[in-house]
Amino acid sequence: MSDRGFLEKLLNGASVAWKPLGDIAQYSKTRISSENLDKTNYVGVDNLLQNRAGRVDSNYVPTSGNLTEFRAGDILIGNIRPYLRKIWLADRTGGTNGDVLVIHPTDDVVNPRYLYQVLTDEKFFEYNIQHSKGAKMPRGSKPQIIQYPVPIPCPEDPKKSREIQAEIVRILDNFTELTAELTAELTAELKARKQQYNYYLDHLLSFEGGTAEWKSLDEIGEFIRGKRFTKADYVDEGIDVIHYGEIYTRYGVYASKAFSQVNKSLESSLKYAEPGDVVLTDVGETVDEVGKPVAWLGEEKVAIHDHCYAFRHELNAKYVAYCMQASSFVMKKSQYVARTKVNTLLIKAFGKAQIPVPYPSNPEKSLAEQARIVAILDKFNTLTTSLSEGLPREIRLRQQQYEYYRDLLLSFPKPEEAA
């Protein structure tokens, strides 16, 4: 069956009227006192989630004045930076501010969940982005949004129209529910894997049997700070580099590949991590991000940004990186972090942090024990990483499937097409 045939079967000969949003809905005109609001029913643009992901409880609640009221069945749209695609179908009564638009259905023929699906469609966001105004902080155009054309099947027969809308909603809700179930299952499995990994990480590095000596990082090696380079220095082919931001997003516990290159003209001014060094950051949004370690296992040296340090030592690089991830080390690391707008690692103080060195008087036996521990942790890390990477991919596939059927079920013929 063709895509249009699928929709034609659903319509079963019913006509379709395209109506401006303002003919079937309006912006909320009612007000609500701040006294009736709390973190669960106040919705600002900051606690609306990007990419149609709904809302979370707010960290801020106004304590005075009246705000725009929304009710169950209303549709809330973040009006700052429309490209963030913030939208939520309200399931309660609450309040919001002028940065969030409240679309209140006014025509009984319109199923609010159906209207939400129409406004969740990419066509609406493309329309909204096209008509937004402002450069640094664009806003959607309220006059244009209220003119957005909405397809109403069988408008001359409200009962049949609601039945068609309900069937569209039922199909799309099924996809949403399946995606939510899959997400919950995979997230639970990932959590269990991470707990198992962390247990063995802490257990293997505790050395309760007394076969290791705890030594400070300054005793074991030295820190080498990187040199600054900027976005303008990036090229397609040049010198391999690690930027501190990439450590959070692209690297695991160890890596042998650089994802970026900078201009070769900078070669003499850069600082490098050698194979076997551990590269770590000295800044981060959270304390956990600061000092995140990556064992560099590439065959060639790699340049590092000035918010990175290369820790040069004689131990197993993976072993050192794993030690820096153990919960006992991470807890102590916090005392070496300056908490400002950007959390910063105090590298001189950080050199006092200790890790266990097995059999320190026997280098050969020490490296063999480090390798044994690394082999065990590598297996758990691979299992956890594979699931971590597979989770968003699987969810994305389900989301694409949902979006395909949403577009299919909402691709009503417009008057000129029907003609």
Side-chain angles (χ1 to χ4, degrees):
M1 184 184 295
S2 67
D3 288 356
R4 181 53 57 86
F6 184 90
L7 188 58
E8 287 176 349
K9 184 176 181 181
L10 181 64
L11 289 172
N12 195 24
S15 61
V16 178
W18 289 80
K19 295 186 177 183
L21 179 59
D23 285 4
I24 56 175
Q26 65 181 16
Y27 295 120
S28 175
K29 296 180 179 179
T30 57
R31 309 289 285 176
I32 186 172
S33 171
S34 59
E35 296 177 356
N36 298 320
L37 301 178
D38 56 36
K39 65 180 182 179
T40 66
N41 70 343
Y42 173 73
V43 177
V45 73
D46 291 333
N47 61 302
L48 281 175
L49 300 177
Q50 299 181 27
N51 297 317
R52 313 169 176 89
R55 58 159 288 284
V56 293
D57 288 349
S58 178
N59 293 322
Y60 162 80
V61 180
T63 57
S64 62
N66 294 322
L67 294 96
T68 301
E69 182 183 55
F70 63 81
R71 301 170 185 172
D74 289 351
I75 300 162
L76 278 63
I77 301 172
N79 200 38
I80 295 180
R81 295 185 291 183
Y83 55 81
L84 295 179
R85 294 165 173 79
K86 295 185 173 185
I87 188 169
W88 176 58
L89 177 65
D91 58 5
R92 68 200 72 179
T93 295
T96 185
N97 58 33
D99 294 332
V100 177
L101 304 180
V102 179
I103 308 295
H104 176 70
T106 55
D107 192 328
D108 290 340
V109 77
V110 178
N111 182 325
R113 297 191 67 83
Y114 169 78
L115 182 58
Y116 169 74
Q117 293 290 355
V118 171
L119 298 181
T120 303
D121 190 66
E122 183 63 18
K123 296 184 184 70
F124 168 74
F125 285 107
E126 289 176 353
Y127 173 91
N128 197 11
I129 293 167
Q130 178 186 353
H131 293 287
S132 62
K133 297 181 179 180
K136 291 184 177 180
M137 194 71 72
R139 287 177 175 266
S141 169
K142 293 178 67 174
Q144 291 293 335
I145 290 172
I146 210 68
Q147 291 299 316
Y148 183 73
V150 177
I152 305 297
C154 197
E156 68 280 0
D157 187 342
K159 181 175 181 294
K160 185 174 182 180
S161 180
R162 286 191 292 267
E163 289 173 351
I164 295 173
Q165 293 176 49
E167 179 62 11
I168 291 173
V169 167
R170 183 191 68 79
I171 295 171
L172 295 179
D173 280 353
N174 281 341
F175 281 108
T176 302
E177 185 177 349
L178 288 170
T179 302
E181 290 176 356
L182 176 68
T183 302
E185 291 174 6
L186 294 178
T187 301
E189 177 66 18
L190 178 60
K191 182 179 179 181
R193 290 274 184 88
K194 285 184 174 180
Q195 288 175 339
Q196 189 180 39
Y197 166 70
N198 289 330
Y199 168 79
Y200 280 98
L201 176 66
D202 293 339
H203 176 70
L204 289 167
L205 297 175
S206 64
F207 289 96
E208 295 176 356
T211 58
E213 181 181 337
W214 291 79
K215 293 190 175 185
S216 70
L217 297 176
D218 283 340
E219 292 180 83
I220 297 167
E222 63 173 329
F223 291 99
I224 300 167
R225 185 173 184 174
K227 290 290 186 179
R228 184 169 179 78
F229 47 82
T230 67
K231 290 182 179 180
D233 298 319
Y234 284 108
V235 294
D236 292 333
E237 293 186 10
I239 300 170
D240 285 344
V241 298
I242 294 178
H243 185 271
Y244 73 95
E246 292 178 320
I247 291 182
Y248 311 138
T249 57
R250 307 192 73 169
Y251 292 100
V253 181
Y254 48 88
S256 57
K257 174 186 176 182
F259 293 97
S260 303
Q261 291 81 38
V262 295
N263 200 302
K264 290 183 178 179
S265 63
L266 300 175
E267 185 171 11
S268 60
S269 64
L270 296 172
K271 291 291 184 179
Y272 297 86
E274 301 285 350
D277 290 351
V278 173
V279 181
L280 49 90
T281 64
D282 73 344
V283 294
E285 292 186 7
T286 66
V287 174
D288 287 344
E289 286 182 349
V290 179
K292 181 184 175 186
V294 177
W296 177 248
L297 305 179
E299 294 181 359
E300 303 291 337
K301 63 183 182 180
V302 62
I304 55 174
H305 190 266
D306 70 342
H307 280 306
C308 294
Y309 282 86
F311 180 60
R312 192 153 296 162
H313 55 89
E314 298 297 329
L315 303 181
N316 183 307
K318 284 187 181 181
Y319 175 80
V320 175
Y322 278 128
C323 284
M324 290 183 176
Q325 283 200 333
S327 61
S328 59
F329 185 91
V330 172
M331 289 174 62
K332 292 177 182 177
K333 180 185 68 177
S334 62
Q335 64 184 298
Y336 307 121
V337 176
R339 293 170 176 79
T340 57
K341 288 185 177 180
V342 178
N343 295 286
T344 305
L345 187 67
L346 305 173
I347 201 69
K348 288 186 178 180
F350 183 61
K352 299 175 184 177
Q354 295 181 328
I355 64 172
V357 179
Y359 306 106
S361 59
N362 188 334
E364 184 176 344
K365 190 173 182 180
S366 179
L367 288 173
E369 179 63 8
Q370 293 172 45
R372 185 187 73 84
I373 292 172
V374 164
I376 296 171
L377 293 176
D378 275 353
K379 291 178 182 178
F380 284 107
N381 183 57
T382 299
L383 288 170
T384 304
T385 301
S386 62
L387 187 57
S388 298
E389 293 174 348
L391 174 61
R393 182 169 58 249
E394 189 66 27
I395 293 172
R396 186 167 60 250
L397 290 173
R398 285 291 179 91
Q399 184 67 22
Q400 289 172 347
Q401 188 180 37
Y402 158 72
E403 290 173 358
Y404 168 78
Y405 280 99
R406 183 184 63 206
D407 292 344
L408 178 63
L409 290 166
L410 297 176
S411 60
F412 295 101
K414 291 188 176 182
E416 60 272 20
E417 294 177 0

